[in-house]
Amino acid sequence: MRTNMLASVGALAQMGIWHALLPAAQAQMKVSSFDGAVTNDEIQSFNDFVTTLTPGKNNSGNEWAQGHSGEETKAMGLVYLMAGQQTTLDQMLRFCDAVLSERNDLAKAPVGQYKLWTGRIDPAWPNDVTADPIQTGGEQGDPVGHLASCAYLILKTKNLYNQNVSIGDPHSYGATYLERATTYLKQADLAMSGHILNSLLDLSNGNKMYFAKDSPYKGGDPVPWNQQMMFNYAFQNLCNAHRILADDAKLLAQYKKIINASLGWFFNEGGVTIKTSSQGNKIYDWGYAMPKTSGEDSNHGSLDVAGFYRAYITGDYNITAEQMTPFANMFVDVMTLGGGQYAGTVEGDSGSGHAADTDYIRSGYLFLADFRADAYEDMMGADLAVGKTTGSADEFSRFLWVKNQRATGK
Ligand SMILES: *[C@@H]1O[C@H](CO)[C@@H](O)[C@H](O)[C@H]1NC(C)=O
Ligand SMILES: *[C@@H]1O[C@H](CO)[C@@H](O)[C@H](O)[C@H]1NC(C)=O
Ligand SMILES: *[C@@H]1O[C@H](CO)[C@@H](O)[C@H](O)[C@H]1NC(C)=O
Ligand SMILES: *[C@@H]1O[C@H](CO)[C@@H](O)[C@H](O)[C@H]1NC(C)=O
């Protein structure tokens, strides 16, 4: 009996559902209810979960972008923005400390000190140090975004400024919250000026994001939308932080122009194709990267949507709920196939790889339930259930966010 049980536990672990079977092994996030206010139990379960996480050791495989550590850091930022509990912020700072310490110019070999395609040991987070040359791409936006997000979230919490950070200061980045925010912001700006803006991006076409002509990765090409969203994540949080400090109006204006050009390219200058669904709703179709304007795949579409939603909730870039709703209509009318299946592209097609159908909802799309109240229960109920747990921080944080939007009438 005992042997059988261990054998089946092993089998379940191989199937990737180890945690579902052994809640004691790792805290799990638990849904109290779909309706009503976000509960303390829900936030507590999130905090308990993230406290057990270990940040990645480097950005190999885009660990700090769409990989686990990247998505977990974004989830903590979202939950802190919503609920404001210090424990959430403290755990997020643990991740920001780690990501900064792993930057190529700061980390010792073998994590850092690589000469990148630029010929320099740049302030960046290479995702494959075995390549020759070592390339960079849009994934560079996310680690800068985490640092800027940590800085911004501290800066908006004035009562913490002069307290020592409760997790200590293992890397000497500043003992107090304000000192820590100052370090993160300075280093985020430095990654922008020392790699992204001086080498990786070419903004000479009206501030629209193209990769530099000499970039080994997509040199001269428009930056794919999901990667523009990574850079925008950084620029938006840098703007938020600098706006609070009122310390550099020129830099703030420069960052804002880049965000505006990216969002304007999509919404006003031909990035998106507007259509009507068979249900008569206004829907969006768009592509992976300009000049394609249709058929984005499900995987990148989820990252795109999460990025546009992040821009929307800042309230700063003139993106309205009316402008966001066609994304939601697309998800409900086109990608939702019925029988628990979701299409592989934003046109409802099924392909392979990133464009394969899924039997779950990629978590970026969950934000869209904010614009389709009628679809909220179906979307959240697809992979979550009341009284049940999940080990996906991005999924859970997005559920909590939309639940809170509904409960607070936003
Ligand atoms: C980078 O992280 C990966 C995955 O965690 C690990 O396998 C690898 O050894 C790490 N490389 C270095 C140089 O730390
Ligand atoms: C805060 O940290 C500094 C630097 O480590 C230390 O000197 C100081 O005693 C700490 N203050 C408190 C109140 O713990
Ligand atoms: C924002 O972008 C639009 C193009 O979509 C442009 O017409 C406008 O001048 C830009 N505004 C700012 C403040 O840069
Ligand atoms: C947003 O809209 C206002 C009013 O139409 C305009 O003044 C402002 O420049 C716009 N901002 C951006 C970033 O486009």
Side-chain angles (χ1 to χ4, degrees):
M1 183 63 198
R2 190 184 167 86
T3 323
N4 280 346
M5 191 171 151
L6 284 175
S8 63
V9 167
L12 287 167
Q14 281 182 354
M15 290 159 64
I17 49 179
W18 172 266
H19 296 312
L21 192 78
L22 290 177
Q26 185 176 19
Q28 291 280 298
M29 297 161 283
K30 190 168 178 181
V31 177
S32 304
S33 62
F34 285 148
D35 288 317
V38 168
T39 67
N40 273 330
D41 282 356
E42 285 170 330
I43 306 284
Q44 181 76 46
S45 77
F46 179 84
N47 288 342
D48 288 349
F49 178 79
V50 295
T51 302
T52 67
L53 297 174
T54 305
K57 299 280 177 244
N58 58 64
N59 194 32
S60 158
N62 294 319
E63 172 67 21
W64 285 105
Q66 69 271 38
H68 286 290
S69 296
E71 289 295 346
E72 286 157 3
T73 308
K74 286 177 208 152
M76 289 184 254
L78 190 67
V79 170
Y80 183 68
L81 190 61
M82 178 194 69
Q85 292 194 3
Q86 192 183 340
T87 305
T88 318
L89 180 65
D90 289 340
Q91 291 306 313
M92 187 180 179
L93 301 192
R94 196 160 63 81
F95 277 63
C96 278
D97 279 355
V99 75
L100 179 56
S101 73
E102 295 166 23
R103 200 175 66 188
N104 185 47
D105 59 322
L106 301 176
K108 291 196 191 91
V111 171
Q113 306 304 317
Y114 294 93
K115 207 172 263 189
L116 306 188
W117 63 272
T118 56
R120 305 178 305 247
I121 299 173
D122 279 352
W125 289 263
N127 60 6
D128 179 4
V129 296
T130 67
D132 184 18
I134 298 174
Q135 310 183 359
T136 53
E139 78 289 337
Q140 296 307 314
D142 270 355
V144 181
H146 303 324
L147 295 176
S149 176
C150 278
Y152 162 59
L153 293 171
I154 292 172
L155 290 170
K156 77 194 289 288
T157 318
K158 297 207 160 55
N159 62 313
L160 286 180
Y161 279 17
N162 297 320
Q163 290 183 34
N164 280 357
V165 176
S166 71
I167 60 164
D169 187 17
H171 301 281
S172 301
Y173 292 154
T176 67
Y177 285 89
L178 183 59
E179 286 165 349
R180 200 73 136 252
T182 307
T183 299
Y184 293 148
L185 186 59
K186 186 174 158 205
Q187 296 303 330
D189 282 330
L190 194 146
M192 273 298 168
S193 63
H195 181 72
I196 292 171
L197 290 175
N198 67 337
S199 291
L200 181 56
L201 291 180
D202 174 358
L203 299 172
S204 62
N205 183 358
N207 282 312
K208 292 187 178 74
M209 293 182 210
Y210 286 76
F211 284 113
K213 294 202 173 52
D214 59 343
S215 164
Y217 174 75
K218 292 187 184 293
D221 289 353
V223 176
W225 292 114
N226 78 94
Q227 298 182 37
Q228 294 199 35
M229 296 304 127
M230 296 174 177
F231 290 123
N232 285 346
Y233 169 55
F235 290 126
Q236 285 160 202
N237 282 292
L238 286 167
C239 284
N240 287 343
H242 283 297
R243 200 176 290 120
I244 293 176
L245 288 175
D247 62 340
D248 195 334
K250 200 171 149 227
L251 193 62
L252 177 59
Q254 183 196 2
Y255 290 160
K256 271 177 78 169
K257 268 190 191 162
I258 302 169
I259 301 165
N260 178 56
S262 168
L263 299 173
W265 198 4
F266 188 83
F267 286 112
N268 313 322
E269 294 179 48
V272 73
T273 307
I274 298 170
K275 297 180 173 175
T276 304
S277 70
S278 53
Q279 286 84 340
N281 293 314
K282 182 173 166 183
I283 55 171
Y284 287 154
D285 190 359
W286 71 101
Y288 173 70
M290 294 300 277
K292 277 204 78 177
T293 56
S294 64
E296 174 66 304
D297 67 69
S298 155
N299 186 12
H300 293 105
S302 170
L303 298 168
D304 301 337
V305 162
F308 286 116
Y309 191 83
R310 278 194 303 267
Y312 163 72
I313 61 174
T314 65
D316 289 334
Y317 306 100
N318 290 346
I319 302 179
T320 61
E322 291 66 40
Q323 250 174 317
M324 293 298 293
T325 302
F327 283 119
N329 292 338
M330 179 285 296
F331 186 78
V332 175
D333 293 355
V334 180
M335 289 188 80
T336 306
L337 302 176
Q341 294 290 311
Y342 302 90
T345 78
V346 301
E347 293 188 322
D349 293 334
S350 309
S352 58
H354 296 311
D357 288 0
T358 59
D359 59 5
Y360 61 93
I361 299 181
R362 293 182 193 276
S363 71
Y365 297 116
L366 294 180
F367 281 130
L368 299 175
D370 194 9
F371 309 104
R372 283 290 300 258
D374 60 318
Y376 169 78
E377 294 260 348
D378 281 348
M379 288 177 69
M380 298 305 164
D383 306 307
L384 294 168
V386 174
K388 295 276 164 51
T389 61
T390 176
S392 166
D394 48 292
E395 176 187 56
F396 194 71
S397 67
R398 289 160 182 182
F399 153 66
L400 290 183
W401 179 270
V402 180
K403 183 185 182 191
N404 184 60
Q405 293 281 101
R406 289 163 62 86
T408 55
K410 283 176 190 152

